[in-house]
Amino acid sequence: MKKALCVIGAVLAVCCSCRDSRTAVATDQGDTLRLKYAEKLTIVKHEGFTEVLLADPWNTGKTLHRYILINENDNDNEKPNSIPQHPNTSVIRIPLKRAVIATSVQCGLVEQLGGRSAIAGVCDLQYINLPWVQEECRKGHIADCGSGLQPTIEKIIDLEPDALFLSPFQNSGGYGKLEKLEIPIVEMADYMESSALGRAEWMKFYGMLFGREKEADSLFAVVEKNYQALKSKVAERVAKGDVKKPRVLMDKQTGSVWYVPGGRSTIGRLLVDAGVDYPWKDDDRSGSLPLPFESVLEQGAQSDIWLFRYNAPHAIRPQELLAEKQAYSRFKSFQKGEIYGCNTATSTFYEDTPFHPDLLLRDFITICYPDLGLGEPVYFVKVKN
């Protein structure tokens, strides 16, 4: 009982001292897990629990969410019966046994870590290109909880999950009725990291949640090694000075807006690591930039290569691009036929690359520096008639 009271007191002290700042945790007792790349994540291990702080990507110095993880399998520590609650703090008992995941990205990672059996439900099933998820849903072993933006509340209640994995967005107004279910919400803000390896390093947090911490550490070590080797390879190629960096344009217009990766987004930084000249590399935003077509044309008209993602039942052709917008023909890359599309309906781009940025980096380098002999790209395929 004495140890339980100590744990409660320690948790209370941590929650109070860290209410508005990531840096405050450094002065509290506990071992801080040193992360090499992730900037929005702080993990501190204490006796009997682990504290995880998610920095607010849109409000510098503020905390988006705070988690207290209590390991149910740790028999060496007596567990407290209750934990003091504070705003934006959730207590999660790990490892998770029944989770509802709203995106395909984390589904692929959880499978790789060996936690497939803990997925009780998913959202946006039609966009998950993982055969085992589709099959488990068909058999009724995994529930289809509807849209990620408006999940089926009744189905989630029936599942009795021990956590909901949802993506936070700026000025979204919260999660509506889901916040009233008294189910911990894991806010998947990894996509707001400013580097590809920073986002990938979040697998250490997800690994803890599913009791797969060692597996996550091992997987990240492999990803980091492969990524850095590719980055060094292209840096050596560029350093020779006998080749001009290709100028690369990213994505295409959606409706009246063209969203391009910000200079400090994972894709933006990854393009720079691939040794290319990206028009928005100096932008300081970590999300996407909504731009009018004229602004993209001004910056990207002379791009040597055009890379874009799309969702269609078949491979897109140049004529279809022009049918969407005739002005695409004004880009140098279109005129030269240097167009590469990634069909997210038929590839596992979203399931693979967020936590395996080395695979995407290889694609970019393969396309932009074919003389390095890395083979054929996997996700971005040349658009042909």
Side-chain angles (χ1 to χ4, degrees):
M1 183 66 182
K2 182 177 181 180
K3 182 177 288 186
L5 291 174
C6 290
V7 171
I8 291 176
V11 172
L12 178 60
V14 169
C15 290
C16 291
S17 66
C18 303
R19 183 178 302 243
D20 295 314
S21 172
R22 274 170 42 112
T23 57
V25 71
T27 63
D28 190 66
Q29 294 180 352
D31 297 324
T32 300
L33 180 65
R34 298 301 175 186
L35 301 175
K36 295 176 66 176
Y37 306 96
E39 299 175 349
K40 305 293 189 294
L41 191 63
T42 300
I43 301 174
V44 184
K45 293 189 175 184
H46 301 261
E47 183 180 359
F49 69 95
T50 297
E51 183 199 29
V52 181
L53 295 175
L54 309 189
D56 191 329
W58 303 283
N59 296 286
T60 303
K62 300 295 183 179
T63 298
L64 177 68
H65 212 126
R66 181 179 294 103
Y67 299 94
I68 302 299
L69 310 184
I70 300 177
N71 195 328
E72 295 288 7
N73 294 333
D74 187 356
N75 295 322
D76 294 333
N77 291 306
E78 183 180 353
K79 305 301 186 301
N81 294 321
S82 62
I83 298 289
Q85 293 294 296
H86 295 276
N88 298 325
T89 296
S90 297
V91 177
I92 302 180
R93 298 185 181 275
I94 58 174
L96 298 176
K97 298 178 178 64
R98 296 181 60 78
V100 172
I101 301 179
T103 71
S104 61
V105 175
Q106 277 72 21
C107 286
L109 174 65
V110 172
E111 179 197 18
Q112 291 176 47
L113 297 180
R116 177 195 294 193
S117 62
I119 300 179
V122 297
C123 295
D124 294 324
L125 178 61
Q126 68 272 31
Y127 298 118
I128 300 179
N129 294 333
L130 294 171
W132 67 269
V133 172
Q134 298 288 338
E135 179 65 14
E136 291 297 286
C137 284
R138 186 186 68 78
K139 293 179 179 179
H141 298 160
I142 294 179
D144 177 1
C145 297
S147 165
L149 295 177
Q150 293 183 320
T152 306
I153 302 296
E154 294 77 11
K155 186 165 291 188
I156 291 177
I157 293 175
D158 290 341
L159 286 175
E160 298 183 344
D162 39 25
L164 305 175
F165 286 69
L166 304 174
S167 295
F169 297 99
Q170 186 177 22
N171 301 322
S172 66
Y175 301 103
K177 295 180 180 179
L178 292 176
E179 294 181 314
K180 300 178 181 180
L181 297 182
E182 296 185 356
I183 300 172
I185 294 177
V186 178
E187 300 198 76
M188 302 179 294
D190 51 85
Y191 76 97
M192 287 300 293
E193 283 290 341
S194 61
S195 71
L197 286 176
R199 181 178 191 180
E201 199 168 21
W202 275 59
M203 71 171 68
K204 296 180 179 180
F205 171 44
Y206 297 132
M208 287 181 178
L209 291 173
F210 288 92
R212 301 287 174 172
E213 187 173 353
K214 291 182 179 179
E215 290 85 348
D217 289 342
S218 298
L219 179 58
F220 181 75
V222 173
V223 170
E224 179 189 22
K225 180 180 178 180
N226 293 341
Y227 189 98
Q228 295 294 6
L230 286 166
K231 181 180 175 180
S232 297
K233 192 177 186 68
V234 76
E236 291 173 3
R237 179 68 181 86
V238 172
K240 291 182 179 179
D242 59 350
V243 63
K244 180 183 177 182
K245 285 186 177 181
R247 193 170 181 80
V248 173
L249 180 66
M250 194 73 199
D251 289 325
K252 62 189 183 75
Q253 186 164 322
T254 302
S256 61
V257 177
W258 190 319
Y259 291 95
V260 302
R264 288 186 57 81
S265 67
T266 55
I267 295 292
R269 296 279 294 275
L270 199 148
L271 286 167
V272 172
D273 287 345
V276 307
D277 178 18
Y278 180 55
W280 293 275
K281 62 181 180 296
D282 296 325
D283 181 86
D284 62 358
R285 283 164 285 188
S286 55
S288 296
L289 314 181
L291 302 175
F293 179 84
E294 292 72 20
S295 295
V296 178
L297 180 63
E298 180 181 358
Q299 294 292 324
Q302 294 304 309
S303 293
D304 302 292
I305 297 171
W306 181 14
L307 306 169
F308 64 87
R309 292 163 287 186
Y310 69 101
N311 186 289
H314 63 273
I316 200 168
R317 296 180 298 170
Q319 296 91 330
E320 293 175 272
L321 287 170
L322 293 181
E324 290 182 12
K325 195 168 189 67
Q326 183 65 35
Y328 285 150
S329 63
R330 299 171 65 182
F331 290 98
K332 174 184 173 182
S333 51
F334 187 94
Q335 297 165 6
K336 292 174 58 182
E338 289 298 314
I339 319 168
Y340 296 82
C342 172
N343 189 350
T344 59
T346 57
S347 76
T348 52
F349 175 88
Y350 287 118
E351 290 77 11
D352 297 344
T353 63
F355 294 104
H356 285 275
D358 52 320
L359 301 180
L360 184 54
L361 181 63
R362 180 193 174 279
D363 251 32
F364 288 166
I365 295 174
T366 297
I367 292 170
C368 297
Y369 294 96
D371 61 304
L372 288 178
L374 296 179
E376 295 296 321
V378 174
Y379 305 100
F380 286 85
V381 180
K382 196 162 191 176
V383 176
K384 300 178 180 178
N385 290 317

